[in-house]
Amino acid sequence: MRTVTRRRFMAGAGCVALGAGLAGSGRGVAAVPLAPPANPHVGRTVPLRLVAAERPRALPCFAGKTLPMWSFSDQTWLPVVRIELGDRLDVVLDNRLPRAGEHTSVHWHGIRLPNDQDGVPYLVQPPVDPGQSHRYDFVPPDTGTFWFHTHCNTSEQLGRGLMGILIVEGDTIEPYAADETIVLRDWRIDLDAGAFTDFTTERGAHRAGTYGNVRSANGMAEAEVRLPASADCRLRVLNCDPTRIMEVAVDGAEAAVIAVDGVAVPPFALDGWLLGPAMRVDLVVRAPAPGASARLVDRRGAEPLPLVRLVGAGAPRPPAPFDPLPLRAGRIPEPDLSAAETLAFTFASIQDAAAVAGDDPLAQLAIGSLCLAREEFWTINNLSWPGRDHSVIPPPLAVLDRGRSYLFRLKNGSRLHHPIHIHGHTFKVLRSDQQALAPHHADTLILLPGETVEVAFVADNPGRWMFHCHIIEHQESGMMSFLEVA
Ligand code: C2O
Ligand code: CU
């Protein structure tokens, strides 16, 4: 069970032990809090125009072929938006997608924003039809590494490339020698025909998802990033794939995790981190000496798969022990565990649910009616909300009291991994029954097969918040729900 032991490295106490392992001075992350929240808005207003359209492109990883990508910008297939904490984003989305009825929206993944800015069609805003526009206007309350993607027909829209990166600056104590963004994702392509293949398959939806056959980092098959030699460099690594879970590691250089899903952690040595769809990890890597190289790899396969070559460039520097600077602490509210209400959620397939139900006649009945709809395959607490749009809205999975602390017991009742995502809030990850977890926060966390993970948070953001698996085909075939904070 190599992924289990490597995933989050060591026990809660592990952070302390690992800090020492980094030859560290015991610098603590909490020692350097952020300034108080920038509210009311004190920063700039940053205008952003996103024009969703088909723009044929030949990314380096497409082996010379031009594909009918969907993207937000004429300038680049992947907009990277960098703002400062306190800045207001003023966004106009234009839908110019080439197909009648292909509505869209933008979801700002991981941002704790007001509910009506969250970009989920029908649930919080009208869908944006071709020819229409929509305005988003919010001040992100947290620093960190985020991304945005549509929340409509996501397997296809994301599959064709419709996404962007959002970085909120203001979390560094001193700048690192470099700050590079590495976007990992696959593409489903017939390279001979130069065409996308099916973005979803029934077989894939019922299993771990339909994998891409062309892998990439920043659109390149063999990405190379030049870093100032022997210096401590920040790498913001994002898994923006609809399907693939990776295990990110650095071969040939020292590396530490400094943030998870945008929220600072006390730095600890990276020895493989499971990064599911939509998850982010920020690293500090000691760059190789001039001319030397190291590799960012995915260790999840039989052989480590190289994703990015990290090359040392510039003048040599005298050797120094690796003692990466932490980031400033995040500002996620601390849940009150003594007063928290506990809610249990089980993520499973209809088959798993049937097996668990055994001969309980009532359970059999409920499952029987679920099975009538052929598309429904995945469930949360035996309930299934399938569909690539969200036009038919079920009742909320749970109604939470605004301002109250909750402990969620998240159980994976299936034999597959599920990266579970909550909108509008960030979980504090408390414990797992299968592995020792380094303390961290997450808006998306992997549940291993059979695993139960406890998380806690303050339900302080009113509205209707999606709660779903981020393997998009699982989401679209039922493992999707919403929570209402009222
Ligand atoms: Cu990035 Cu509802 O998801
Ligand atoms: Cu899933």
Side-chain angles (χ1 to χ4, degrees):
M1 295 289 278
R2 141 179 185 286
T3 52
V4 172
T5 51
R6 284 219 177 113
R7 178 187 180 195
R8 277 149 193 181
F9 204 70
M10 275 184 74
C15 257
V16 178
L18 288 166
L22 288 168
S25 49
R27 293 194 273 225
V29 66
V32 194
L34 281 170
N39 194 13
H41 163 61
V42 292
R44 303 168 298 165
T45 293
V46 178
L48 178 64
R49 185 89 189 262
L50 299 176
V51 182
E54 181 164 305
R55 298 180 182 88
R57 275 183 205 275
L59 295 188
C61 63
F62 293 166
K65 295 288 165 44
T66 298
L67 283 146
M69 291 185 71
W70 291 0
S71 58
F72 282 123
S73 160
D74 289 334
Q75 274 77 51
T76 170
W77 74 276
L78 182 65
V80 178
V81 180
R82 277 183 181 263
I83 61 172
E84 291 284 334
L85 184 67
D87 286 348
R88 173 178 292 279
L89 264 181
D90 183 357
V91 186
V92 176
L93 165 69
D94 286 328
N95 183 351
R96 302 218 185 122
L97 293 175
R99 187 189 294 150
E102 187 69 33
H103 66 243
T104 196
S105 69
V106 177
H107 168 58
W108 310 90
H109 184 111
I111 304 283
R112 299 184 301 131
L113 39 56
N115 194 231
D116 61 357
Q117 304 299 306
D118 193 44
V120 180
Y122 301 103
L123 194 70
V124 306
Q125 69 163 80
V128 184
D129 278 314
Q132 292 183 339
S133 298
H134 188 85
R135 182 115 178 243
Y136 297 94
D137 183 3
F138 57 92
V139 181
D142 299 301
T143 55
T145 305
F146 304 96
W147 68 303
F148 51 95
H149 59 82
T150 72
H151 222 281
C152 311
N153 187 17
T154 312
S155 47
E156 176 168 6
Q157 294 190 8
L158 180 57
R160 287 177 182 269
L162 204 49
M163 57 188 250
I165 307 304
L166 175 58
I167 290 170
V168 185
E169 313 241 33
D171 55 5
T172 54
I173 294 164
E174 278 169 38
Y176 299 97
D179 182 338
E180 298 282 346
T181 301
I182 295 176
V183 177
L184 305 174
R185 65 160 296 167
D186 306 343
W187 305 90
R188 291 198 32 85
I189 302 175
D190 177 338
L191 279 177
D192 294 326
F196 286 116
T197 51
D198 287 351
F199 297 103
T200 176
T201 62
E202 192 170 310
R203 188 188 155 81
H206 284 43
R207 293 177 174 75
T210 305
Y211 288 98
N213 57 324
V214 170
R215 304 196 59 177
S216 71
N218 297 348
M220 286 172 274
E222 286 161 15
E224 184 176 298
V225 172
R226 292 167 71 80
L227 299 172
S230 312
D232 286 354
C233 301
R234 181 178 191 169
L235 300 184
R236 302 170 184 265
V237 184
L238 300 97
N239 180 348
C240 297
D241 195 64
T243 307
R244 186 183 301 276
I245 295 168
M246 309 180 197
E247 186 187 345
V248 170
V250 173
D251 283 352
E254 291 179 287
V257 175
I258 55 166
V260 175
D261 285 358
V263 186
V265 296
F268 63 91
L270 171 70
D271 183 28
W273 186 264
L274 269 194
L275 200 64
M279 294 166 66
R280 292 90 63 210
V281 65
D282 284 38
L283 308 176
V284 169
V285 174
R286 171 62 58 86
S293 68
R295 303 185 311 174
L296 183 77
V297 298
D298 175 7
R299 275 193 195 159
R300 196 131 188 271
E303 294 281 309
L305 183 100
L307 298 167
V308 183
R309 226 162 78 89
L310 306 168
V311 181
R317 238 171 257 254
F322 183 54
D323 182 18
L325 265 179
L327 294 170
R328 290 175 189 274
R331 45 173 88 212
I332 309 299
E334 184 66 23
D336 176 0
L337 294 178
S338 67
E341 182 180 341
T342 299
L343 298 177
F345 300 97
T346 299
F347 300 82
S349 73
I350 284 169
Q351 264 180 9
D352 299 317
V356 169
D359 354 294
D360 177 347
L362 290 175
Q364 295 286 12
L365 266 184
I367 290 156
S369 62
L370 274 180
C371 285
L372 291 175
R374 198 168 140 275
E375 282 239 316
E376 293 170 346
F377 189 74
W378 295 100
T379 63
I380 307 177
N381 285 358
N382 285 342
L383 299 169
S384 201
W385 178 15
R388 283 183 209 158
D389 66 24
H390 313 308
S391 54
V392 181
I393 297 176
L397 185 63
V399 179
L400 311 181
D401 293 340
R402 181 178 179 182
R404 176 140 197 209
S405 292
Y406 286 86
L407 187 152
F408 279 8
R409 191 165 290 142
L410 308 174
K411 178 175 170 54
N412 184 347
S414 82
R415 285 174 217 100
L416 298 173
H417 292 60
H418 300 286
I420 302 302
H421 172 46
I422 187 171
H423 286 209
H425 299 80
T426 301
F427 291 137
K428 177 175 188 178
V429 180
L430 300 176
R431 66 189 78 84
S432 153
D433 66 346
Q434 280 195 20
Q435 55 178 331
L437 303 177
H440 68 285
H441 289 80
D443 55 62
T444 310
L445 68 130
I446 291 181
L447 296 181
L448 303 175
E451 185 182 30
T452 297
V453 175
E454 289 184 350
V455 299
F457 70 109
V458 183
D460 58 355
N461 202 353
R464 304 207 280 181
W465 301 107
M466 297 292 290
F467 185 43
H468 62 85
C469 180
H470 221 291
I471 291 176
I472 304 298
E473 287 168 292
H474 290 177
Q475 175 191 1
E476 289 178 344
S477 59
M479 196 176 273
M480 171 167 78
S481 190
F482 76 91
L483 305 165
E484 180 151 8
V485 177

